[in-house]
Amino acid sequence: MMKPPRSNYAQRLRGFPGVVFDEEGAACQRGAWQRLFRDRIGADFNGRIVLEIGCSDASLLSAVAARHPDTAFIGIDWKYKAIHDGGVRIAASGLPNVALVRGRGQAIATMFGGGEISEIWIFHPDPCDRDIELPNRLMGEVFLADAHKVLRDGDSMI
């Protein structure tokens, strides 16, 4: 028997095809994000992809993306409702340069190919402060090695 999703918003994410991806869908895009955004943005695409880990409802991401239509932005968050709200925001604003992923920041090496990302933004990296949450911490040796792999040479993590 199949387990029901953890959130009422899980099924609603399917209402944003091509905008909201789950980890599996993002993994299928691995190495192809440039093509996806070139198709969406067109000839004006500058080839830069900015990744925000912990994007919540994508309010910051969508505001920045609106000001930089030639750059691609991908937001990742673990919370279904936050990504759903971000999907609503992105769909309503019609931003072709934004995609959202409902998943874990720790999985970036499975979602992005080597050198595929220009910048990684992490504004609140370790909200896990209870002992039981420590395994969920983002900033660690494995994540930093993965971040190094997906970043282009000379690009940065903020």
Side-chain angles (χ1 to χ4, degrees):
M1 181 174 191
M2 191 172 186
K3 240 168 64 169
R6 293 175 28 152
S7 169
N8 293 333
Y9 289 92
Q11 297 296 333
R12 295 181 193 179
L13 294 181
R14 293 184 181 151
F16 307 102
V19 174
V20 175
F21 298 82
D22 60 11
E23 276 187 23
E24 185 178 315
C28 290
Q29 281 297 129
R30 187 176 192 268
W33 290 102
Q34 287 279 333
R35 186 172 1 137
L36 179 131
F37 285 113
R38 188 160 310 286
D39 290 348
R40 286 186 186 179
I41 297 169
D44 291 336
F45 179 44
N46 63 16
R48 293 182 46 75
I49 299 176
V50 175
L51 173 65
E52 181 184 6
I53 298 176
C55 70
S56 188
D57 64 0
S59 55
L60 173 67
L61 201 65
S62 61
V64 174
R67 291 190 178 121
H68 300 280
D70 57 346
T71 300
F73 295 87
I74 302 172
I76 297 178
D77 204 284
W78 180 246
K79 296 182 178 149
Y80 287 101
K81 182 175 182 338
I83 290 295
H84 173 269
D85 293 349
V88 169
R89 173 177 280 106
I90 301 308
S93 57
L95 293 168
N97 60 332
V98 179
L100 301 174
V101 177
R102 205 301 300 179
R104 296 171 51 88
Q106 290 90 334
I108 62 171
T110 64
M111 295 185 270
F112 304 102
E116 197 165 27
I117 301 297
S118 301
E119 289 181 27
I120 299 176
W121 297 349
I122 308 171
F123 296 111
H124 304 285
D126 284 324
C128 307
D129 55 0
R130 296 182 311 170
D131 287 344
I132 197 167
E133 296 171 322
L134 290 178
N136 294 323
R137 284 189 166 254
L138 180 63
M139 300 305 280
E141 205 172 310
V142 173
F143 171 77
L144 292 173
D146 288 345
H148 180 72
K149 288 176 193 170
V150 302
L151 277 169
R152 291 183 187 173
D153 287 340
D155 285 332
S156 61
M157 183 164 62
I158 301 171

